[in-house]
Amino acid sequence: MVKSKVLQLLKTLTPQEFKKFGLFICSPYFNKEIVQIKIYELLKNHYPAFDSPSLAKENLYSGLYPGRKYNDGAMRNILSDMLKLAENFLSTERFQSDDYKKNIFLLEELKTRNQKNHFLKQKDKTEKIIEKDVFKDELYFDRKTELAIIYARFLRGTEETFIQRDKVIQETSDLLTISSLIKLIFYNTDMLSVQTNISNITYRLNLADEIDIFFENSGKKYLKIPYIEGYWLSFKLIQTGEEKYFYMLKDFIQRCINEINNDEVKNIFTILVNYCYKKITEGNPDFIKEQFLLYKQSVERGSYTSVGFISSTLFMSIVVIGYEAGEFDWTNNFINDYIHEVKEDSRNNTVHFSAALKFYWRGDYESSLSELSRVSSEEFSFKQNIRSLTLKIYYDLNETEPFYSHIDSYRHFIQNNKIVHNNIREPINNYISFCKKLFDLKNSREKDPEFELQRLKREILNTKAIINKLWLLRKIDEVV
């Protein structure tokens, strides 16, 4: 069987594309080699798998040149030429499907050939294509900028007045500024987000301070553009952690949710939700409701996914925060209405874990443990959530032997799991340690353990890296 780049590429073609590729090869404009038409006909019988044992280079060569001795160099050249044809085919297909790009290339040609009237009519057509875009996003402003630059260059070669040229130059500069700001702030936000979640990475955030100064002065008007405002508020929230930027970004998404595409809406919701999670782990219960409302709006608007399904991790996060917020009816309805959108290979596990949470909040610990025992997954998120909830159950049941046994197995699971990053390992280990200390104090034979409980409470409050902080604080208050 032939192992070739061209066959790997041809495998990706749909039946319709493969047929069109045949027409492409037969066109003398694109291909002047008869041998390429012949090899296409030979390969056509093996599409789409190209995995037949008879599909060897020697057999292909024999089919092309019957009776001729095999020449490996010649065969390699033939396959190499076909790869170039396949690449040209894909480029041509993409070009033909992009009306904007076709118009831009035509404008460049018309400019070069000094076809003024034709150029101006084509420019108007291109502007109409651009304005068809629903969202005024990065692509929209990139296209506006590219067209403006071509037009400005066109005017240099004409006898148009300086006033008209000066106006175009200013418009082009403004568009370049908008396009550059969108790109810079987006990538700075993306880098800062990664840097925040992965401690051993440090990025250089280009012009971040200068952009702030610019917005405080002459550039303030650019913050009226939704994509710039949304990206900048996202960046400032991650950079500073200040609550004012949370509420500003939340207000922005309410005002401009129909002016940005679904992917960006999803990204902003994720940034807001992550901030809520951070505040919750710091011990602020107000953000439980905030996080729930964000999830609720995301679900109701359909902004929770851009790939046609909902991940099991996100699904479980929504269920956890829904029950935490006391929104039991909404959460139960969410489980019933959206569980079919979880991928089939993790759907049953998600069903059982969600049921375990429901039973836990009802105080039916035995049923909760039964549901957890039916979860069978190698994914870390499932294993971690199972162990975390099981520890809570054994704590509430006040069963000493199962509790301490689970503490040991939980610790070993975290310590021995090599894929767990320190940013995840530390908060879980702190949760395990504090839970053990609290269990010890709850079952202490001392008559008045209140002093130690208050000290433990302060210690928990002062610990930033910890999961289930609010649960621990609630349990301390129950003991006190």
Side-chain angles (χ1 to χ4, degrees), residues 394-398 437-444 449 453 475 479:
Y394 287 145
Y395 175 91
D396 287 333
L397 288 172
N398 205 36
K437 288 179 182 179
L438 179 56
F439 190 82
D440 291 342
L441 286 172
K442 183 176 73 166
N443 293 282
S444 172
L453 285 167
K475 293 305 169 180
V479 176

Side-chain angles (χ1 to χ4, degrees), residues 18-82:
F18 190 75
K19 185 177 180 180
K20 289 176 74 174
F21 180 52
L23 297 174
F24 181 89
I25 286 178
C26 290
S27 168
Y29 182 81
F30 296 108
N31 170 49
K32 295 179 173 59
E33 299 291 334
I34 299 297
V35 70
Q36 292 298 327
I37 299 174
K38 290 182 177 180
I39 194 171
Y40 172 82
E41 291 299 323
L42 291 173
L43 291 173
K44 186 165 65 174
N45 299 322
H46 299 279
Y47 171 83
F50 300 111
D51 58 358
S52 171
S54 65
L55 187 60
K57 286 192 290 185
E58 292 80 2
N59 293 339
L60 284 175
Y61 192 84
S62 177
L64 294 171
Y65 306 110
R68 189 182 297 184
K69 183 180 179 181
Y70 176 70
N71 185 322
D72 189 64
M75 192 65 229
R76 287 177 181 274
N77 288 335
I78 292 168
L79 291 173
S80 177
D81 289 343
M82 175 162 263

Side-chain angles (χ1 to χ4, degrees), residues 316 319-321 323 352-362 368 371-372 389 392:
M316 289 188 292
V319 173
V320 167
I321 204 67
Y323 286 138
H352 292 306
F353 182 78
S354 298
L357 277 172
K358 180 177 68 176
F359 285 125
Y360 173 78
W361 281 96
R362 289 179 178 176
S368 184
E371 290 292 339
L372 289 177
L389 181 56
K392 291 179 181 180

Side-chain angles (χ1 to χ4, degrees), residues 61-226:
Y61 192 84
S62 177
L64 294 171
Y65 306 110
R68 189 182 297 184
K69 183 180 179 181
Y70 176 70
N71 185 322
D72 189 64
M75 192 65 229
R76 287 177 181 274
N77 288 335
I78 292 168
L79 291 173
S80 177
D81 289 343
M82 175 162 263
L83 176 61
K84 291 175 184 176
L85 283 170
E87 291 169 346
N88 288 340
F89 167 73
L90 291 176
S91 298
T92 303
E93 285 291 289
R94 175 56 65 94
F95 179 77
Q96 289 296 332
S97 68
D98 191 334
D99 289 337
Y100 166 77
K101 278 296 181 185
K102 285 194 290 186
N103 278 270
I104 286 295
F105 279 106
L106 178 55
L107 283 170
E108 290 283 12
E109 285 299 318
L110 295 173
K111 175 172 68 69
T112 301
R113 299 167 192 273
N114 296 317
Q115 299 296 299
K116 178 181 175 181
N117 292 335
H118 196 167
F119 177 95
L120 293 174
K121 288 181 180 180
Q122 199 64 35
K123 173 181 171 291
D124 290 341
K125 288 182 181 179
T126 308
E127 285 177 337
K128 289 177 182 178
I129 291 172
I130 295 172
E131 293 303 327
K132 285 181 181 178
D133 289 346
V134 177
F135 303 109
K136 305 299 184 279
D137 55 7
E138 179 184 351
L139 179 62
Y140 170 83
F141 285 108
D142 281 350
R143 289 178 168 181
K144 293 274 286 185
T145 303
E146 186 176 22
L147 181 59
I149 290 172
I150 291 173
Y151 184 44
R153 289 172 178 167
F154 167 79
L155 289 176
R156 290 176 195 165
T158 68
E159 296 178 356
E160 300 295 330
T161 64
F162 281 107
I163 294 175
Q164 184 178 352
R165 271 183 276 176
D166 287 348
K167 179 184 176 183
V168 171
I169 289 170
Q170 183 61 64
E171 289 175 353
T172 305
S173 176
D174 290 344
L175 287 167
L176 275 167
T177 301
I178 293 169
S179 183
S180 299
L181 284 170
I182 290 175
K183 285 180 170 62
L184 268 171
I185 302 170
F186 171 80
Y187 283 103
N188 279 349
T189 303
D190 193 40
M191 289 190 292
L192 190 60
S193 179
V194 173
Q195 183 174 297
T196 302
N197 294 313
I198 304 177
S199 59
N200 61 347
I201 291 181
T202 303
Y203 289 111
R204 182 178 62 257
L205 305 176
N206 293 322
L207 301 178
D209 295 335
E210 289 80 359
I211 289 172
D212 282 351
I213 296 170
F214 178 64
F215 284 151
E216 290 172 4
N217 298 286
S218 61
K220 188 175 294 184
K221 64 180 181 180
Y222 293 108
L223 284 172
K224 294 179 182 179
I225 297 170

Side-chain angles (χ1 to χ4, degrees), residues 368-413:
S368 184
L369 287 172
S370 175
E371 290 292 339
L372 289 177
S373 69
R374 299 174 70 182
V375 178
S376 177
S377 174
E378 293 302 312
E379 290 183 32
F380 173 79
S381 60
F382 274 112
K383 290 185 173 183
Q384 153 56 21
N385 282 321
I386 290 170
R387 282 166 172 77
S388 175
L389 181 56
T390 301
L391 189 59
K392 291 179 181 180
I393 292 171
Y394 287 145
Y395 175 91
D396 287 333
L397 288 172
N398 205 36
E399 294 186 359
T400 304
E401 186 174 337
F403 177 85
Y404 286 118
S405 175
H406 187 67
I407 284 279
D408 288 338
S409 67
Y410 198 171
R411 278 178 171 158
H412 281 105
F413 165 71

Side-chain angles (χ1 to χ4, degrees), residues 289 292-293 296 318-319 321-333:
K289 197 70 172 181
F292 167 74
L293 291 173
K296 182 181 179 183
I318 294 173
V319 173
I321 204 67
Y323 286 138
E324 281 280 351
E327 298 286 345
F328 300 108
D329 289 341
W330 185 92
T331 306
N332 291 335
N333 289 334

